[in-house]
């Protein structure tokens, strides 16, 4: 493996850690943010929710955008936007601007994980795919466990704004190395398909309303609230229609037919279990 391949792997791991850590690093700073911004827990939770929903929306678009814009331009552009919006979050004067910048940060961060995974796998031959998976898995597993610890340390010693500003030097280093070593693919046929607009709309409404339902349900007394009831109905109808549509459209935004493969289902189940245990870890940090 030459120096360029090693640099690409290093950049991909750094970018993955940036995105994954920022998913969990904010959680431990929520009580401090509530006091500094004069907001309730339900209001501050939108800082986490907005980022998560934005990630979920842009994630299936990453491959399509990479083909249209060029993977190198898209990847480096997302690293730049992620770094800039991180600093903007750290400088946000109020809760509204913080939520807006977090949504923009989530939209940029949604491309980092899948593109980083593709970059890592491309540096190894097929017979060494296990090594590539282990390297990517390391960043996926270290990020959520490091986030709460790093977030707690930075918040206690430097204030909650530092959990966003810490991304500036790391983002600049990642961008600098990425400009040097990452190139667009020269082999393979680029398949520039049409965007599944209807599928994207259904995905936005389905995931967005579901996330809002889960975040605000307890605070608004669940189905005693007309807003929560409406969100539940919209989410249910959108997601069911989304599945029906994606199984029939020629170029789906998410290829649901992959769920016929046992290895895909097994991977989803294992990642769900991993996410569950990471959430338990977050609750431990927050309450104990």
């Amino acid at each position: 493996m030459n120096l360029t391949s090693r640099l690409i792997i290093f950049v991909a791991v750094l970018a993955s850690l940036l995105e994954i850590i920022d998913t969990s690093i904010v959680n431990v700073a929520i009580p401090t943010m509530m006091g500094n911004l004069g907001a309730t827990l339900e209001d501050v939770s939108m800082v986490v929710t907005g980022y998560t929903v934005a990630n979920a929306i842009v994630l299936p678009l990453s491959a399509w955008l990479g083909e249209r814009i060029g993977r190198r331009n898209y990847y480096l552009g997302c690293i730049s936007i992620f770094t800039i919006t991180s600093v903007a979050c750290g400088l946000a004067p109020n809760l509204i601007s913080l939520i807006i910048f977090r949504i923009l940060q989530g939209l940029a961060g949604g491309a980092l994980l899948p593109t980083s995974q593709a970059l890592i796998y491309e540096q190894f031959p097929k017979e060494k795919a296990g090594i590539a998976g282990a390297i990517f898995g390391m960043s996926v597993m270290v990020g959520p466990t490091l986030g709460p610890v790093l977030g707690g340390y930075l918040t206690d010693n430097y204030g909650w704004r530092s959990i966003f500003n810490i991304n500036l030097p790391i983002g600049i280093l990642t961008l600098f190395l990425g400009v040097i070593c990452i190139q667009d693919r020269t082999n393979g046929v680029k398949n520039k398909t049409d965007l599944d607009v209807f599928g994207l709309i259904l995905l936005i409404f389905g995931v967005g309303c579901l996330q809002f339902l889960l975040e605000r349900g307890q605070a608004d007394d669940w189905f005693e609230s007309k807003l929560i009831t409406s969100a539940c109905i919209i989410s249910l109808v959108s997601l069911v229609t989304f599945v029906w549509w994606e199984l029939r459209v020629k170029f789906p935004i998410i290829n649901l037919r992959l769920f016929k493969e046992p290895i895909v289902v097994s991977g989803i189940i294992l990642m769900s279990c991993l996410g569950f245990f990471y959430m338990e870890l977050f609750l431990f940090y927050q309450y104990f």
Side-chain angles (χ1 to χ4, degrees):
M1 183 181 296
N2 56 31
L3 178 61
T4 301
S5 296
R6 295 176 186 274
L7 284 176
I8 290 175
I9 293 172
F10 181 68
V11 169
V13 170
L14 273 184
S16 299
L17 286 174
L18 271 176
E19 202 279 330
I20 297 173
I21 287 176
D22 258 59
T23 305
S24 58
I25 196 173
V26 177
N27 294 333
V28 294
I30 284 179
T32 305
M33 294 166 67
M34 289 169 55
N36 289 161
L37 297 173
T40 64
L41 177 60
E42 289 77 18
D43 293 334
V44 174
S45 66
M46 287 302 299
V47 175
V48 178
T49 303
Y51 182 90
T52 305
V53 172
N55 259 217
I57 290 171
V58 80
L59 188 63
L61 282 174
S62 296
W64 185 85
L65 289 171
E67 292 293 341
R68 291 282 174 164
I69 303 173
R71 187 176 65 178
R72 182 178 187 271
N73 293 335
Y74 180 56
Y75 190 59
L76 296 179
C78 286
I79 293 175
S80 302
I81 296 172
F82 187 90
T83 304
I84 293 171
T85 51
S86 295
V87 176
C89 288
L91 299 175
N94 51 54
L95 181 61
I96 298 297
S97 58
L98 176 59
I99 293 173
I100 293 173
F101 290 135
R102 274 289 282 179
I103 292 174
L104 294 175
Q105 186 188 39
L107 290 174
L112 299 184
L113 209 57
T115 311
S116 295
Q117 185 177 17
L119 286 172
I120 291 174
Y121 271 89
E122 285 178 0
Q123 306 314 308
F124 292 89
K126 290 183 179 181
E127 60 271 15
K128 293 186 178 180
I131 299 177
I135 293 174
F136 179 74
M138 176 192 67
S139 60
V140 170
M141 295 189 68
V142 169
T145 54
L146 182 61
V149 178
L150 181 61
Y153 174 80
L154 292 174
T155 302
D156 289 342
N157 291 279
Y158 304 103
W160 66 267
R161 297 182 184 275
S162 63
I163 65 177
F164 299 111
N165 295 330
I166 192 66
N167 289 336
L168 179 60
I170 302 175
I172 291 176
L173 174 62
T174 306
L175 181 63
F176 174 74
L177 294 177
V179 170
I180 294 175
C181 63
I182 296 177
Q183 300 294 330
D184 278 323
R185 287 175 294 181
T186 56
N187 56 344
V189 178
K190 290 186 178 181
N191 184 20
K192 293 188 176 181
T193 60
D194 295 329
L195 176 63
D196 179 15
V197 178
F198 186 59
L200 176 61
I201 293 173
L202 291 173
L203 180 67
I204 292 173
F205 278 98
V207 174
C209 290
L210 178 61
Q211 191 69 36
F212 178 82
L213 164 70
L214 296 175
E215 288 287 346
R216 297 289 304 181
Q218 185 174 0
D220 294 342
D221 201 17
W222 294 104
F223 296 108
E224 295 297 324
S225 168
K226 292 183 179 179
L227 184 59
I228 294 299
T229 303
S230 300
C232 180
I233 294 172
I234 294 173
S235 176
L236 181 62
V237 172
S238 297
L239 291 176
V240 171
T241 308
F242 175 78
V243 173
W244 173 82
W245 174 261
E246 294 300 284
L247 292 175
R248 284 160 176 78
V249 69
K250 185 177 180 180
F251 299 112
I253 194 169
I254 297 179
N255 188 5
L256 298 181
R257 296 178 182 86
L258 291 175
F259 285 92
K260 294 180 180 179
E261 301 293 333
I263 191 170
V264 175
V265 177
S266 301
I268 295 288
I269 293 174
L270 288 174
M271 290 303 296
S272 299
C273 293
L274 186 64
F276 173 78
F277 288 118
Y278 280 146
M279 181 57 66
E280 293 297 318
L281 181 64
F282 158 65
L283 292 175
F284 175 82
Y285 276 115
Q286 187 171 11
Y287 295 107
F288 298 100

